[in-house]
Amino acid sequence: KTISGLFDRSLVLLISLGDLLVGGYLLGVATVDVYYRNNFCEVQFDWLVGGGCKGLGIISTVGSQVSLFSMTVLGVSRLRTLTRGITTAVPVNKRAVTMVTLLVLMLLSLSFVIAIVPLLQQFEDRFVNAIFYPNVKFLKGFHRKVDFNHPITVYYGRTRNKISRQSWRSLRRLIQYMFTQRNGELQTNALHFYGNDPVCLFKYFVAPDDPQRPYSLVVLGLNFFCFLIITASYVTINVISLRSSGSVRTGAAALAIDKRNLKLQRKICLIIGTDFACWMPFITIAFLHTTEVINATEYYGLLSIVIVPINSVINPLLYDPIITEMMNKLVARLKGLKVCAVIFLTGDKMNGEVELTTFTDGFNSDQITAETAMGRR
């Protein structure tokens, strides 16, 4: 075992964990949809403020962020290994294990913090948009701060601060004093950060007056920055590989490196393409929504089912060696079937000799580094 191999396997394991969490989120959304399909309107308010929606939001956010951060670090690591030109495998030692463990814990912690901060009680004025009174018949639905402006003004007269500037804690206390205390305190539930839509997704689409707008835009900016790093890393890897192979003009080594570069280019296109397809729609639509060009709230359901899973579906084909081997075998079988079909339809064996190459050949940092060093010589 080498340090490079340990590093790569640990990050691939993290990517797999993130994809598993996103898969669990999608399964949870599908289960809730089937269970409440005929009476969701009756339980909608309870669902949006409940723990189930919070849990799905945390799972989806942690999964997406862990996967994205791991792909970013993995791309930088492979580029660093390639540019340093290390051709000898360094065996694993305790220091390397400690560093990898700390890195894994850091990425997991950062992802969890991003997911859990909007739900902390001390930050509710930043992330809660409305509250819900489940046991008060004439206070049905969600109520924003501006909705309390008239009743509080009528009951108390003038208030020291504008209602919009009052904390949720102060508003709850003011509303509480308007009712008799005979039956105890009023029960209130907050419309939390993930309850902005029944699919319980991270609130990427924020309006200019949303209190959580800065936080959402910062997270989107961080994700966009990660996408740029991934793109730059793999494009640089491709350029270095092509330059190094150019110095090997003839022989079996040159043919092997050319074949390797072709597969590498295809894999890089898939890595960048899937990241682009996953995050750029969110970033673009979020920008248009926050600038009030469009109202993207209605697109949450579609994006959560179609866009969010893209990376989670494609990543195993790009990073997992076991699935890569299975896909290569499948492609080989499909190749044989295609040849047989062409021969059967045309009767021409030569026309059936097609060559299929897969996008899923392994990406080994040590091997690419060795080939690059060979080209430099």
Side-chain angles (χ1 to χ4, degrees), residues 4 12 18 107 194 215 226 261 268 275 277 292 302 319 328 332 339 350 377:
S4 177
V12 169
L107 295 179
Y194 298 106
Y215 185 80
C226 290
N261 286 337
I268 288 173
D275 287 340
E292 298 184 310
L302 175 65
Y319 296 102
N328 285 335
V339 171
M350 294 301 296
R377 295 191 191 104

Side-chain angles (χ1 to χ4, degrees), residues 277-317:
C278 183
W279 287 110
M280 288 309 296
F282 274 113
I283 294 171
T284 303
I285 296 176
F287 175 77
L288 295 176
H289 182 86
T290 196
T291 54
E292 298 184 310
V293 175
I294 62 173
N295 183 5
T297 305
E298 59 184 294
Y299 301 143
Y300 262 109
L302 175 65
L303 293 174
S304 67
I305 302 301
V306 178
I307 303 299
V308 169
I310 289 179
N311 266 343
S312 300
V313 172
I314 302 298
N315 283 341
L317 306 180

Side-chain angles (χ1 to χ4, degrees), residues 4-53:
S4 177
L6 173 65
F7 200 85
D8 281 8
R9 284 192 297 271
S10 299
L11 290 173
V12 169
L13 181 62
L14 268 185
I15 294 173
S16 302
L17 174 62
D19 296 339
L20 178 64
L21 290 175
V22 174
Y25 159 76
L26 293 173
L27 181 61
V29 170
T31 302
V32 172
D33 178 63
V34 172
Y35 187 79
Y36 290 119
R37 175 167 297 177
N38 296 324
N39 62 335
F40 182 74
C41 290
E42 300 175 7
V43 299
Q44 178 181 5
F45 295 120
D46 293 326
W47 166 252
L48 292 177
V49 301
C53 188

Side-chain angles (χ1 to χ4, degrees), residues 136-304:
V136 182
K137 294 182 178 180
F138 59 87
L139 288 178
K140 288 294 184 181
F142 292 115
H143 301 278
R144 300 174 299 168
K145 288 184 178 181
V146 294
D147 297 330
F148 294 110
N149 188 28
H150 179 71
I152 288 179
T153 302
V154 170
Y155 188 85
Y156 291 101
R158 296 179 61 184
T159 57
R160 182 175 301 178
N161 296 320
K162 292 183 178 180
I163 299 301
S164 59
R165 296 180 181 177
Q166 296 274 0
S167 67
W168 281 114
R169 183 179 179 181
S170 298
L171 286 177
R172 289 193 189 96
R173 186 170 61 250
L174 292 173
I175 296 296
Q176 177 68 37
Y177 292 157
M178 294 171 62
F179 291 83
T180 177
Q181 306 299 307
R182 184 178 304 170
N183 298 320
E185 293 187 1
L186 290 174
Q187 179 184 352
T188 60
N189 295 324
L191 181 63
H192 53 78
F193 183 72
Y194 298 106
N196 64 92
D197 192 89
V199 295
C200 305
L201 199 64
F202 188 97
K203 192 171 182 179
Y204 294 107
F205 307 148
V206 287
D209 59 343
D210 283 337
Q212 58 269 29
R213 185 190 187 198
Y215 185 80
S216 297
L217 294 181
V218 166
V219 172
L220 273 175
L222 176 62
N223 293 344
F224 180 66
F225 181 68
C226 290
F227 167 73
L228 293 179
I229 292 178
I230 293 172
T231 302
S233 297
Y234 285 107
V235 168
T236 306
I237 288 173
N238 184 45
V239 171
I240 293 175
S241 300
L242 290 176
R243 287 180 179 176
S244 63
S245 62
S247 60
V248 183
R249 299 295 182 181
T250 59
L255 293 176
I257 293 177
D258 286 342
K259 186 176 181 180
R260 178 80 181 183
N261 286 337
L262 179 60
K263 296 176 181 178
L264 178 62
Q265 290 170 9
R266 290 173 174 174
K267 172 161 283 192
I268 288 173
C269 288
L270 266 182
I271 291 173
I272 296 175
T274 53
D275 287 340
F276 181 90
C278 183
W279 287 110
M280 288 309 296
F282 274 113
I283 294 171
T284 303
I285 296 176
F287 175 77
L288 295 176
H289 182 86
T290 196
T291 54
E292 298 184 310
V293 175
I294 62 173
N295 183 5
T297 305
E298 59 184 294
Y299 301 143
Y300 262 109
L302 175 65
L303 293 174
S304 67

